[in-house]
Amino acid sequence: MSEVFEGYERQYCELSTNLSRKCSSASLLPDGDQKKEKYSEIQSGLDDADALIRKMDLEARSLQPNVKAMLLAKLREYKSDLNKLKREFKRISSSDAHEELLESGKADPNVVSGEQRERLAMSVERINQSGERIRESRRVMLETEELGISIVEDLNQQRETLLNSRNKLHGVDDAISKSKKVLSSMSRRMTRNKWIVGSIIVALVIAIIFILFYKLAHH
């Protein structure tokens, strides 16, 4: 397993446990600056958890297929866990916002001035604009993440192709070396055979000369 993935995994597990405790404690705090500060810490932690999930995803997709499948299955569990934390945070923060709205309404349930309506409209507009910006940023982030994942997968495929090509080249080198050895052996054998044939020819020539000389000497 990847040591980099394990490092991100440990960080996420610690952060998830910490966020769960903070959500539980935040729901028990009285309204005020302390609760708002706690909510800010939780939101920051959720952003960090999102970043860790993305890092784990990229790291898992850069590994070999058998390891990648196992890590992606584990990553789905972490994503589900993070979604539960987000839903819990949204539930407690939305509940507090609703209570604040009710409290503000109890102060003057029948009278709402034009200035208050204007401030409310401006607030709603700012919230809508912020929501649009957040959605647009999230869309760009997801597209960038998908592009990064695609690039990593392409690089992995190219790496596997290069490794396969290198293995094939090693195979070709081995075949060439064996061929050289066979050719060298054949060359040595041919040279040896030439010497043997030459020796036989020389012996035959000497024998013929000797026979001729013998016959001529007896005549």
Side-chain angles (χ1 to χ4, degrees), residues 187-210:
S187 177
R188 287 195 298 271
R189 192 177 297 114
M190 289 175 65
T191 302
R192 187 168 59 250
N193 290 340
K194 285 180 181 179
W195 279 105
I196 292 171
V197 171
S199 299
I200 293 172
I201 292 172
V202 169
L204 289 173
V205 169
I206 292 173
I208 292 170
I209 292 172
F210 179 77

Short mmCIF file of all heavy atoms in Angstrom, two decimals, residues 187-210:
data_model
loop_
_atom_site.label_atom_id
_atom_site.label_comp_id
_atom_site.label_asym_id
_atom_site.label_seq_id
_atom_site.Cartn_x
_atom_site.Cartn_y
_atom_site.Cartn_z
N SER A 187 30.66 -20.03 -36.68
CA SER A 187 31.87 -19.55 -37.36
C SER A 187 33.09 -20.36 -36.95
O SER A 187 33.92 -20.74 -37.78
CB SER A 187 32.08 -18.06 -37.04
OG SER A 187 33.26 -17.59 -37.63
N ARG A 188 33.19 -20.62 -35.62
CA ARG A 188 34.33 -21.42 -35.14
C ARG A 188 34.28 -22.84 -35.71
O ARG A 188 35.29 -23.42 -36.10
CB ARG A 188 34.31 -21.46 -33.61
CG ARG A 188 34.74 -20.16 -32.95
CD ARG A 188 35.04 -20.36 -31.48
NE ARG A 188 33.86 -20.81 -30.75
CZ ARG A 188 32.98 -20.01 -30.20
NH1 ARG A 188 33.14 -18.69 -30.29
NH2 ARG A 188 31.94 -20.49 -29.55
N ARG A 189 33.04 -23.39 -35.77
CA ARG A 189 32.90 -24.75 -36.31
C ARG A 189 33.28 -24.79 -37.79
O ARG A 189 33.94 -25.72 -38.26
CB ARG A 189 31.45 -25.21 -36.11
CG ARG A 189 31.27 -26.71 -36.37
CD ARG A 189 29.84 -27.17 -36.09
NE ARG A 189 29.50 -26.99 -34.69
CZ ARG A 189 28.59 -26.15 -34.25
NH1 ARG A 189 27.92 -25.39 -35.11
NH2 ARG A 189 28.34 -26.07 -32.97
N MET A 190 32.87 -23.77 -38.56
CA MET A 190 33.20 -23.73 -39.99
C MET A 190 34.71 -23.60 -40.18
O MET A 190 35.30 -24.23 -41.07
CB MET A 190 32.48 -22.54 -40.65
CG MET A 190 30.97 -22.75 -40.79
SD MET A 190 30.13 -21.29 -41.45
CE MET A 190 30.85 -21.24 -43.09
N THR A 191 35.34 -22.76 -39.37
CA THR A 191 36.80 -22.61 -39.47
C THR A 191 37.49 -23.93 -39.18
O THR A 191 38.45 -24.33 -39.89
CB THR A 191 37.27 -21.53 -38.49
OG1 THR A 191 36.61 -20.30 -38.78
CG2 THR A 191 38.78 -21.33 -38.59
N ARG A 192 37.02 -24.62 -38.12
CA ARG A 192 37.62 -25.91 -37.79
C ARG A 192 37.43 -26.92 -38.91
O ARG A 192 38.34 -27.68 -39.27
CB ARG A 192 37.00 -26.42 -36.49
CG ARG A 192 37.68 -27.68 -35.95
CD ARG A 192 37.24 -28.00 -34.54
NE ARG A 192 35.81 -28.21 -34.43
CZ ARG A 192 34.97 -27.39 -33.83
NH1 ARG A 192 35.42 -26.28 -33.28
NH2 ARG A 192 33.67 -27.64 -33.79
N ASN A 193 36.22 -26.92 -39.51
CA ASN A 193 35.95 -27.84 -40.62
C ASN A 193 36.84 -27.54 -41.84
O ASN A 193 37.28 -28.47 -42.54
CB ASN A 193 34.48 -27.78 -41.02
CG ASN A 193 33.56 -28.37 -39.96
OD1 ASN A 193 34.03 -29.16 -39.12
ND2 ASN A 193 32.29 -28.00 -39.98
N LYS A 194 37.08 -26.24 -42.08
CA LYS A 194 37.96 -25.87 -43.20
C LYS A 194 39.35 -26.44 -42.99
O LYS A 194 40.00 -26.97 -43.91
CB LYS A 194 38.03 -24.35 -43.35
CG LYS A 194 36.79 -23.73 -43.96
CD LYS A 194 36.94 -22.22 -44.05
CE LYS A 194 35.69 -21.58 -44.65
NZ LYS A 194 35.83 -20.10 -44.73
N TRP A 195 39.86 -26.31 -41.76
CA TRP A 195 41.19 -26.85 -41.46
C TRP A 195 41.22 -28.37 -41.64
O TRP A 195 42.20 -28.93 -42.17
CB TRP A 195 41.60 -26.49 -40.04
CG TRP A 195 42.13 -25.09 -39.92
CD1 TRP A 195 41.51 -24.02 -39.40
CD2 TRP A 195 43.40 -24.63 -40.38
NE1 TRP A 195 42.26 -22.89 -39.46
CE2 TRP A 195 43.48 -23.24 -40.07
CE3 TRP A 195 44.50 -25.23 -41.00
CZ2 TRP A 195 44.57 -22.47 -40.37
CZ3 TRP A 195 45.60 -24.45 -41.29
CH2 TRP A 195 45.64 -23.08 -40.97
N ILE A 196 40.15 -29.02 -41.21
CA ILE A 196 40.10 -30.48 -41.35
C ILE A 196 40.09 -30.89 -42.82
O ILE A 196 40.84 -31.77 -43.26
CB ILE A 196 38.87 -31.05 -40.62
CG1 ILE A 196 39.02 -30.86 -39.10
CG2 ILE A 196 38.66 -32.52 -40.94
CD1 ILE A 196 37.78 -31.19 -38.31
N VAL A 197 39.23 -30.23 -43.61
CA VAL A 197 39.15 -30.54 -45.05
C VAL A 197 40.48 -30.25 -45.73
O VAL A 197 40.97 -31.02 -46.58
CB VAL A 197 38.00 -29.73 -45.70
CG1 VAL A 197 38.06 -29.86 -47.22
CG2 VAL A 197 36.65 -30.19 -45.17
N GLY A 198 41.08 -29.10 -45.36
CA GLY A 198 42.38 -28.75 -45.95
C GLY A 198 43.43 -29.79 -45.63
O GLY A 198 44.25 -30.17 -46.48
N SER A 199 43.41 -30.24 -44.38
CA SER A 199 44.39 -31.26 -43.97
C SER A 199 44.19 -32.56 -44.75
O SER A 199 45.16 -33.21 -45.18
CB SER A 199 44.25 -31.52 -42.47
OG SER A 199 44.51 -30.35 -41.74
N ILE A 200 42.90 -32.94 -44.94
CA ILE A 200 42.61 -34.15 -45.71
C ILE A 200 43.10 -34.02 -47.14
O ILE A 200 43.71 -34.94 -47.72
CB ILE A 200 41.11 -34.46 -45.66
CG1 ILE A 200 40.70 -34.85 -44.22
CG2 ILE A 200 40.75 -35.58 -46.63
CD1 ILE A 200 39.20 -34.98 -44.03
N ILE A 201 42.85 -32.85 -47.74
CA ILE A 201 43.28 -32.63 -49.13
C ILE A 201 44.79 -32.71 -49.24
O ILE A 201 45.36 -33.35 -50.16
CB ILE A 201 42.77 -31.28 -49.64
CG1 ILE A 201 41.23 -31.32 -49.78
CG2 ILE A 201 43.41 -30.91 -50.97
CD1 ILE A 201 40.62 -29.98 -50.09
N VAL A 202 45.49 -32.07 -48.31
CA VAL A 202 46.97 -32.09 -48.33
C VAL A 202 47.46 -33.54 -48.18
O VAL A 202 48.39 -33.99 -48.87
CB VAL A 202 47.52 -31.21 -47.21
CG1 VAL A 202 49.04 -31.44 -47.05
CG2 VAL A 202 47.25 -29.74 -47.51
N ALA A 203 46.79 -34.29 -47.29
CA ALA A 203 47.20 -35.68 -47.08
C ALA A 203 46.98 -36.49 -48.35
O ALA A 203 47.83 -37.33 -48.73
CB ALA A 203 46.42 -36.28 -45.92
N LEU A 204 45.83 -36.28 -49.02
CA LEU A 204 45.56 -37.00 -50.26
C LEU A 204 46.58 -36.65 -51.34
O LEU A 204 47.06 -37.52 -52.10
CB LEU A 204 44.14 -36.69 -50.74
CG LEU A 204 43.00 -37.30 -49.91
CD1 LEU A 204 41.65 -36.78 -50.38
CD2 LEU A 204 43.04 -38.84 -50.00
N VAL A 205 46.91 -35.36 -51.46
CA VAL A 205 47.88 -34.92 -52.48
C VAL A 205 49.23 -35.58 -52.22
O VAL A 205 49.91 -36.09 -53.15
CB VAL A 205 48.00 -33.39 -52.48
CG1 VAL A 205 49.19 -32.94 -53.34
CG2 VAL A 205 46.71 -32.77 -53.00
N ILE A 206 49.65 -35.61 -50.95
CA ILE A 206 50.93 -36.23 -50.60
C ILE A 206 50.90 -37.72 -50.93
O ILE A 206 51.87 -38.30 -51.46
CB ILE A 206 51.24 -35.99 -49.12
CG1 ILE A 206 51.52 -34.50 -48.86
CG2 ILE A 206 52.43 -36.83 -48.66
CD1 ILE A 206 51.66 -34.12 -47.41
N ALA A 207 49.73 -38.35 -50.62
CA ALA A 207 49.61 -39.78 -50.89
C ALA A 207 49.70 -40.06 -52.39
O ALA A 207 50.37 -41.01 -52.83
CB ALA A 207 48.30 -40.30 -50.32
N ILE A 208 49.04 -39.23 -53.19
CA ILE A 208 49.07 -39.41 -54.65
C ILE A 208 50.48 -39.23 -55.18
O ILE A 208 50.97 -40.00 -56.03
CB ILE A 208 48.09 -38.44 -55.33
CG1 ILE A 208 46.63 -38.83 -54.99
CG2 ILE A 208 48.29 -38.42 -56.84
CD1 ILE A 208 45.61 -37.81 -55.40
N ILE A 209 51.13 -38.17 -54.69
CA ILE A 209 52.52 -37.92 -55.13
C ILE A 209 53.40 -39.10 -54.76
O ILE A 209 54.25 -39.56 -55.55
CB ILE A 209 53.04 -36.61 -54.52
CG1 ILE A 209 52.28 -35.41 -55.11
CG2 ILE A 209 54.54 -36.44 -54.75
CD1 ILE A 209 52.58 -34.10 -54.43
N PHE A 210 53.22 -39.61 -53.56
CA PHE A 210 54.04 -40.73 -53.11
C PHE A 210 53.81 -41.96 -53.97
O PHE A 210 54.75 -42.67 -54.38
CB PHE A 210 53.71 -41.04 -51.65
CG PHE A 210 54.48 -42.19 -51.10
CD1 PHE A 210 55.82 -42.06 -50.72
CD2 PHE A 210 53.89 -43.45 -50.99
CE1 PHE A 210 56.53 -43.14 -50.22
CE2 PHE A 210 54.60 -44.52 -50.50
CZ PHE A 210 55.92 -44.38 -50.11
#
